[in-house]
Structure formats: C-alpha cells, structure tokens
Amino acid sequence: MAHLRSRRRLALTLPLGLALTASLGFLPGAASAAPADSPAATAGSATADAGALAYVVNTRTDHRTLASVKKAIDKAGGTVVASYDRIGVIVVHASNPEFGRQIRAVKGVQSAGATRTSPLVASGTTDEGAAQVLSKEQAKSLAAHAASGAEPLEADQWDLRAIGADKAAKINPGSRDVTVGVIDTGVDDTHPDLAPNFSASQSANCVGGKADTSPGAWRPYDPAEDYHGTHVAGEIAAARNGIGVAGVAPGVKVAGIKVSDPNDGLFYPENVVCAFVFAADHGVEVTNNSYYVDPWLYNCMDDPDQKAIVDAVDRAQLYAQKKGTLNLASAGNSNDDLDSDALVDDSSPDDATPVHRTIDPHKCFDIPTQLPGVVTVSASGPTGAKAYYSSYGKGVIDIAAPGGDKFQFPDTPSKNGRILSTMPGGQYGFLQGTSMASPHAAGVAALLKSAHPRATPAQLQALLKAEADNPGCPSDPYDGDGDGVVDATCEGGKHVNGFYGFGIVDALDAVKR
C-alpha cells in the first residue's frame, strides 16, 4: 500500500442475471437504502477542533429522528459539521470522551463511533513502493520508440496492450457523457494529458466531510507527495492528444474528489462518505477507490467505532449505487487471502500506535472494497500472473487488471513492469499496486457505460465480469517474488478463482459488446 507523507500501510457478467457481491448482512437496511441530501455545516470547522475527535452518527432518516438526534448531539457536547440527512449520517466533532457511549444510547441512533483514534489537528492508498518519475531525458528517449499514431510514451504502456485498450480506442474511446470520479489525493487538472477530459463541475474537496467546490479545491495539497490521484486519473482517461501517455478510456471525462487529509495523508470515513454522496449527486457514472478507509485496515463489527465506520461508508456507497454509480475499489497490497479464516493486522490504527491483532476477514472488513456491490479488483503484472503484493480470495475478488509488478518484465523500451501514467506538474512516472489495477478496471467500466448508456450499476458489473479473460489458477505453486517460497494459494477453477475473480478485464471485448 502507499507510504504517503511520514507513513502509510499496505493497503464484487456473466449474463446480466449474475448477482452482485453477497450482502454483508450486518447493516441496517432501511437507512442504508435511503437517499441522501447535500451536507449542511451547522457549526464548527471541518478541519480542526483542538482536542476533539471526529465521529459518524448513523440514524433513521425521518425528520423527527434526525432533529431529536441533533439535539442530543448538542447536549452531549458535540458539534455537527455535516449532515447527510437522506442516508442518516451525521459528521460530528466532540471533545467529550464519553460522547460515543452517550450518543449510542439515544433513541433513533443505529450506530455511532469515532472515525480516528487521535485528536483532530489544525486520509492513504494502495500503491506499492516509491514512484519513479521520468526525467525529461528519459521521456525523450522513450518517445523515440513511439509507433506511428501512438502517444509519445505509449511504447512503455504494456498495460494498455495487455487488455487491448490501444485497439479499443480505435473503435470507441469512450463517451463524453460518461464521467469517472477519482476519489483520491486530488487530481492535477492542469496536466496537459488530463486537462482535455477534466470535469471541474463534478470535482470537489471532501476533506472534513463537507464538499468544497471552489476552483482548484480538488488539486493535490503537495504535488511532490500527493501524486497518487493524478496517476490514477491518467490511467483512466489520459487523452490521446499527441502528448505523453494514453488512458484506458481516453474519450470519457474524469473528475477529482479529494479525500486525503492534508496533515497525515489518511482517508478518514467522513471524507469518503462525502465523496460517494457528492459523486452520486453530480452524475458521476463510475468511481475509482484506490485506498482503504483509515484508520483501520480491517473494521470489526464487534467494535462500536469500527461498526459505525462501516455503516456510514456503506450507506453512502449504496446511495451512490442507487443513483446509478458503479463503484470499483482496489483489493489491497498485503498479499492477504481475504477468504481465509484469520489474518494478522499489525498496522491499525494507523493514526496512532498500531496494535497487533488477529482478525477474521469475514467479520472484519477492508472498506470500501468489501462492501456489497463494490467491484473488488486484484492486480496482475506484465506476464498476466497475479502481482506479488496483491491481496486475493475466492468469492471476494471480482476481477483483475494490470497493476504492475517489478518482478515481471515486459517487452518494452524500459523493461519496467510498473504502470506509467501522469504525475502532477506535467510529469510522468511509474507506480505499481492494486491502486493501479482498479483504475484500469474503472476505465473498462467507463467504456462499457459508453456502449450501454442505460445499463445499471448491477448490469455494468455483470458486463465487466462477462468480458474478462480468466487465465485460471497457476499450475505451479505461486512464488510471486521468485525467492523459492510459496507466497499464495489460488483456489477455484478456470472461470472463477481467488486470484483473478472472473478474469482480467478486456477493453477490446468491452467496446465490441
């Protein structure tokens, strides 16, 4: 996973009748299904309250309950920062150490908990390892290998050819009526490869839980460190304009919804709730989510704080689905078997001192990737094999896509197995991770939406699985890093398995359907 700023941990078609990822079965149904309205800041700051913690309070959605709960919040010493009344999620700041316990006892409150373990100060991601930024000399050298009609740096984009995206662009590069929202660290919309396709009207800064749509609010705080979202955006929709690289769907629009905290780079729940609701309310057809929601890598349902986080984010992403948005998310870079009986998590909470704990991934969830209806994407490398870092799991992984692998070497000028894409400031660089796999799948989903504009999120997910090509489980024991030790075990058959789900996405097949 990412290491933004000082530290950062590693990070669900067949024919249209195929079911979505099975419901988790633990969330309040009525409230989760309720529509949401725009957040309203009633008081306080969305960024800093000295000594306070941030909370999500999840309630029934009728006006009487909401009004009563807000009065109770005030009485318990809390300040409402934003209220998403239609899904019953209220973002609160409170210094009262008993606030969570007190508010959970209030009639109409279905769950409530702190969204971090350290006080607020005056959110990261699923890429693996440091970025490799191209120098001007390197870019010039790569451009010398460009084929006629290709983008200058496209010779090094093995990932496009692996899924037929280069050929798909000649048939259907995607529709301007389709927008992919990049929920991430911000997007540099001034990049020459992104500017032609950027949608400012569908972009925002959601840090603090309330959307800021002022011009440029969606851009990275620090371009030198917050490059992740710009890289992801380029993988999806870098324009074919004779400059730099190309995206999987170079004809669609891309929006930036920033959710990473400026102080620690983490993706807190209230920010992500805001992002899903904003995307849905602004007509975004597809969202890409290359991160896990901090501060817990896995959120356990027997913990009231973690349960409230799952509930709040799930309400928001379900609302987006109901409004017509397909959500895709990276599977994570821990090489974890998400269908195993037990996993060790020694990285959480990542906003304070982590504790060592053993969790059951069927009861403790990596979100948003394990939420119902979210498309979970694992990563493959240049050879088509599972990337050494990619988490996996039978019945959890929906599809796979190129995410890069430094141990797999493509037949390209640089021989670099990572993913080349856009970086802030008009630059380009290589990254690898399930962070890079998910946007490739999001790009293919955007092509499918372009070809099938009336398709629902469920139908798009089914089409996404149907066009995928599954290499099947490897015949030999899997040794991703080549050190002679078996790193993972693939379970399942040729059509569906734990490494690739229904298979590796196929952009060319998507535009032919």
Side-chain angles (χ1 to χ4, degrees):
M1 243 187 220
H3 298 281
L4 291 180
R5 304 202 186 282
S6 60
R7 42 105 295 279
R8 174 61 174 151
R9 269 255 329 128
L10 297 182
L12 270 154
T13 206
L14 302 181
L16 294 182
L18 188 72
L20 291 174
T21 306
S23 172
L24 300 179
F26 50 70
L27 301 171
S32 295
D37 57 10
S38 299
T42 60
S45 164
T47 55
D49 292 323
L53 286 179
Y55 292 83
V56 283
V57 179
N58 306 306
T59 77
R60 297 198 301 264
T61 57
D62 61 281
H63 294 302
R64 178 175 296 181
T65 296
L66 286 162
S68 175
V69 170
K70 289 174 185 177
K71 288 181 180 179
I73 289 170
D74 182 68
K75 184 177 180 180
T79 299
V80 174
V81 174
S83 183
Y84 295 88
D85 291 355
R86 294 185 188 177
I87 58 172
V89 177
I90 306 171
V91 179
V92 179
H93 290 175
S95 300
N96 175 9
E98 294 297 310
F99 178 81
R101 182 185 61 80
Q102 291 175 7
I103 209 68
R104 282 191 288 270
V106 172
K107 183 178 179 181
V109 172
Q110 295 173 314
S111 62
T115 64
R116 60 199 77 195
T117 63
S118 295
L120 295 166
V121 293
S123 276
T125 55
T126 47
D127 55 322
E128 170 69 20
Q132 299 177 338
V133 179
L134 290 182
S135 66
K136 290 183 179 179
E137 292 73 20
Q138 289 172 319
K140 184 177 180 180
S141 175
L142 288 178
H145 295 274
S148 176
E151 296 299 284
L153 304 181
E154 193 172 348
D156 248 28
Q157 291 189 273
W158 62 265
D159 48 306
L160 296 186
R161 295 183 288 280
I163 61 173
D166 54 334
K167 296 177 181 178
K170 298 176 181 178
I171 300 173
N172 183 358
S175 169
R176 301 292 292 175
D177 294 330
V178 174
T179 300
V180 180
V182 176
I183 300 176
D184 214 294
T185 62
V187 173
D188 179 6
D189 58 305
T190 69
H191 194 292
D193 254 339
L194 298 178
N197 291 338
F198 191 79
S199 176
S201 65
Q202 295 169 293
S203 298
N205 177 359
C206 268
V207 174
K210 182 189 176 199
D212 173 7
T213 57
S214 57
W218 51 77
R219 293 174 187 150
Y221 288 114
D222 182 348
E225 293 190 356
D226 300 329
Y227 48 74
H228 190 270
T230 301
H231 195 279
V232 165
E235 294 171 59
I236 296 167
R240 285 190 172 272
N241 56 357
I243 302 173
V245 297
V248 172
V252 306
K253 292 188 294 185
V254 65
I257 307 176
K258 185 166 62 180
V259 293
S260 59
D261 189 273
N263 299 291
D264 54 22
L266 300 185
F267 288 41
Y268 290 115
E270 60 270 28
N271 306 353
V272 174
V273 168
C274 169
F276 278 125
V277 173
F278 180 88
D281 287 345
H282 288 78
V284 171
E285 286 81 9
V286 178
T287 70
N288 184 80
N289 301 270
S290 290
Y291 59 88
Y292 69 80
V293 172
D294 299 287
W296 304 94
L297 175 57
Y298 296 101
N299 293 267
C300 297
M301 301 307 292
D302 59 358
D303 180 282
D305 292 322
Q306 294 167 44
K307 179 180 185 295
I309 289 171
V310 175
D311 188 2
V313 176
D314 189 57
R315 290 177 186 223
Q317 72 88 17
L318 283 176
Y319 171 69
Q321 287 185 51
K322 290 178 183 296
K323 293 273 282 189
T325 305
L326 177 67
N327 304 310
L328 297 92
S330 55
N333 298 347
S334 305
N335 192 34
D336 281 345
D337 181 353
L338 299 175
D339 188 42
S340 64
D341 294 330
L343 293 173
V344 172
D345 174 18
D346 56 9
S347 69
S348 304
D350 58 10
D351 65 339
T353 302
V355 295
H356 184 95
R357 59 180 186 158
T358 300
I359 63 95
D360 179 349
H362 300 93
K363 299 178 181 178
C364 301
F365 304 99
D366 179 345
I367 59 172
T369 199
Q370 285 185 276
L371 294 176
V374 174
V375 179
T376 304
V377 187
S378 64
S380 59
T383 68
K386 182 187 91 70
Y388 71 94
Y389 51 78
S390 181
S391 291
Y392 57 100
K394 185 180 179 182
V396 179
I397 300 302
D398 290 310
I399 51 173
D405 189 321
K406 66 183 180 182
F407 296 112
Q408 299 179 34
F409 303 102
D411 183 16
T412 61
S414 72
K415 302 294 189 291
N416 195 321
R418 299 168 178 85
I419 304 296
L420 179 63
S421 187
T422 48
M423 300 286 276
Q427 294 184 301
Y428 300 88
F430 289 95
L431 284 171
Q432 64 177 9
T434 55
S435 270
M436 286 60 252
S438 184
H440 281 77
V444 174
L447 293 176
L448 286 166
K449 183 66 174 178
S450 299
H452 305 276
R454 296 183 181 276
T456 66
Q459 290 169 332
L460 278 182
Q461 182 171 163
L463 286 168
L464 197 59
K465 294 175 178 177
E467 52 73 28
D469 301 316
N470 203 322
C473 288
S475 56
D476 298 323
Y478 177 81
D479 176 14
D481 56 8
D483 65 355
V485 177
V486 176
D487 298 318
T489 300
C490 180
E491 297 183 354
K494 174 67 177 177
H495 299 294
V496 187
N497 57 64
F499 276 14
Y500 306 102
F502 284 81
I504 300 173
V505 295
D506 187 330
L508 182 58
D509 194 19
V511 299
K512 289 181 175 180
R513 286 189 171 272

